[in-house]
């Protein structure tokens, strides 16, 4: 368990000045492991904000490589990184910037088998950030978080439409439903940014909100669990709705569920 050094008091002083965070909150940030699945536009920003906030144990999962079309919104990457694994480049950049950060990477698609093995590495349950751009991957991540009773911070964006929610599946009092309650397993695949396009700053807004929500959860100051936040980047409008549980949901209601085939995780 990390403790606050003199340097930490200086580096994180502005955070600790917040009355609802203080030293206890900063220590929670430093001692809470996180898993970020998808290191595209969302994952770039989420990983950077969490590392800068003081998170010291991050697992990055993504099988993809850097492409030229990624550069306008995936700000950890440069043109010289094209063709290299996203997780490896992100690890190198963030490790240089934050020497106390311990980053593990998996340059493979997320699967139920290795997710279970990876989670066992942590002595404390990690917070999971879904930063993928693939409905099938999001369904699998949702199922895994339900199964392992983890907190899920999910973000997504296509064109100008973004969404965000956080569900704490470790809470026995959580009745807010899950991703599968919103979109059933047989829901037709929606367009991702590859087909619909996406605007870089809009991705950054959703990713920043993911990081904010995740850090608030870690500091025990978050209260909006099970609320779906939707953002329209064209007119800067936010809407929200409570996520009710589907009594016929095959994941969060009819547990244990039958795991679906392993699916890849594409990223914004």
């Amino acid at each position: 368990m990390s403790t606050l050094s003199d340097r930490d008091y200086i580096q994180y002083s502005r955070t600790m000045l917040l009355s609802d965070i203080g030293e206890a909150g900063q220590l929670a940030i430093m001692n809470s492991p996180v898993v970020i699945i998808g290191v595209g536009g969302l994952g770039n920003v989420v990983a950077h904000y969490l590392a800068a906030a003081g998170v010291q144990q991050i697992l990055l999962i993504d099988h993809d490589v850097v492409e030229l079309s990624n550069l306008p919104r995936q700000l950890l990457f440069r043109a010289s990184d094209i063709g290299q694994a996203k997780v490896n480049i992100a690890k190198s950049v963030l490790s240089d910037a934050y020497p106390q950060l311990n980053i593990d990477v998996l340059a493979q698609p997320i699967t139920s088998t290795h997710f279970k093995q990876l989670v066992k590495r942590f002595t404390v349950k990690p917070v999971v950030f879904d930063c993928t751009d693939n409905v099938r991957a999001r369904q699998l991540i949702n199922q895994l978080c339900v199964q392992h009773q983890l907190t899920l911070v999910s973000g997504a964006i296509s064109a100008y439409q973004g969404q965000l929610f956080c569900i704490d599946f470790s809470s026995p009092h959580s009745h807010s439903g899950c991703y599968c309650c919103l979109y059933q397993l047989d829901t037709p695949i929606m367009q991702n940014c590859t087909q619909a396009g996406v605007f870089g700053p809009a991705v950054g807004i959703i990713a920043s909100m993911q990081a904010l929500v995740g850090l608030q959860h870690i500091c025990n100051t978050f209260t909006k669990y099970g609320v779906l936040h939707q953002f329209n980047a064209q007119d800067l409008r936010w809407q929200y709705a409570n996520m009710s549980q589907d009594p016929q949901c095959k994941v969060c209601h009819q547990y244990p569920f039958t795991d679906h085939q392993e699916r890849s995780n594409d990223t914004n």
Side-chain angles (χ1 to χ4, degrees):
M1 300 287 286
S2 296
T3 58
L4 290 168
S5 66
D6 291 341
R7 180 185 178 88
D8 293 331
Y9 276 102
I10 297 173
Q11 184 168 355
Y12 305 115
S13 60
R14 301 301 189 272
T15 303
M16 290 188 286
L17 283 172
L18 297 170
S19 60
D20 58 345
I21 296 181
E23 294 181 16
Q26 186 59 48
L27 282 170
I29 292 171
M30 294 167 65
N31 289 303
S32 297
V34 303
V35 177
I36 300 172
I37 307 173
V39 191
L42 295 173
N44 264 238
V45 175
V46 169
H48 206 160
Y49 264 120
L50 295 182
V55 172
Q56 295 188 359
Q57 193 171 6
I58 296 178
L59 170 61
L60 301 176
I61 303 176
D62 197 318
H63 68 286
D64 211 353
V65 299
V66 179
E67 299 178 359
L68 181 60
S69 61
N70 299 151
L71 301 185
R73 64 195 176 280
Q74 300 181 20
L75 305 181
L76 294 177
F77 308 142
R78 300 174 299 177
S80 58
D81 300 324
I82 291 173
Q84 299 185 60
K86 290 183 177 180
V87 290
N88 292 338
I89 299 301
K91 176 179 180 178
S92 176
V93 173
L94 294 175
S95 296
D96 286 346
Y98 309 101
Q100 294 180 322
L101 179 61
N102 178 19
I103 300 184
D104 290 323
V105 301
L106 180 69
Q108 297 178 22
I110 182 66
T111 67
S112 57
T113 300
H114 67 234
F115 184 87
K116 180 178 181 180
Q117 296 171 343
L118 292 167
V119 169
K120 286 182 177 179
R121 296 181 184 179
F122 301 114
T123 57
V124 178
K125 283 188 175 182
V127 180
V128 177
F129 292 82
D130 180 359
C131 299
T132 63
D133 182 26
N134 181 303
V135 173
R136 289 179 175 176
R138 289 199 284 269
Q139 291 283 13
L140 177 57
I141 294 165
N142 175 75
Q143 291 184 23
L144 293 172
C145 287
V146 172
Q147 180 182 18
H148 296 282
Q149 297 181 318
L150 302 174
T151 299
L152 172 63
V153 183
S154 177
I157 188 164
S158 178
Y160 290 102
Q161 306 300 318
Q163 70 176 35
L164 168 81
F165 66 82
C166 176
I167 301 177
D168 183 6
F169 294 116
S170 68
S171 171
H173 306 295
S174 176
H175 302 290
S176 58
C178 69
Y179 185 83
C180 188
C181 295
L182 284 177
Y183 306 105
Q184 297 182 3
L185 295 174
D186 57 355
T187 300
I189 304 299
M190 297 180 292
Q191 286 186 323
N192 59 24
C193 66
T194 304
Q195 293 87 35
V198 71
F199 204 34
V203 177
I205 291 171
I206 299 299
S208 297
M209 291 292 289
Q210 276 187 275
L212 174 64
V213 166
L215 290 169
Q216 287 179 327
H217 165 76
I218 290 170
C219 294
N220 200 30
T221 63
F222 187 68
T223 60
K224 301 296 184 181
Y225 296 101
V227 177
L228 177 66
H229 300 267
Q230 295 179 305
F231 179 62
N232 185 323
Q234 284 183 303
D235 58 11
L236 304 182
R237 177 167 46 89
W238 284 95
Q239 295 180 311
Y240 68 92
N242 292 324
M243 297 171 64
S244 58
Q245 188 177 48
D246 180 356
Q248 302 300 318
C249 179
K250 297 179 181 179
V251 177
C252 67
H253 188 76
Q254 299 181 10
Y255 186 83
F257 55 85
T258 301
D259 196 12
H260 282 231
Q261 289 184 343
E262 299 169 348
R263 292 156 179 170
S264 65
N265 51 291
D266 296 333
T267 53
N268 285 314

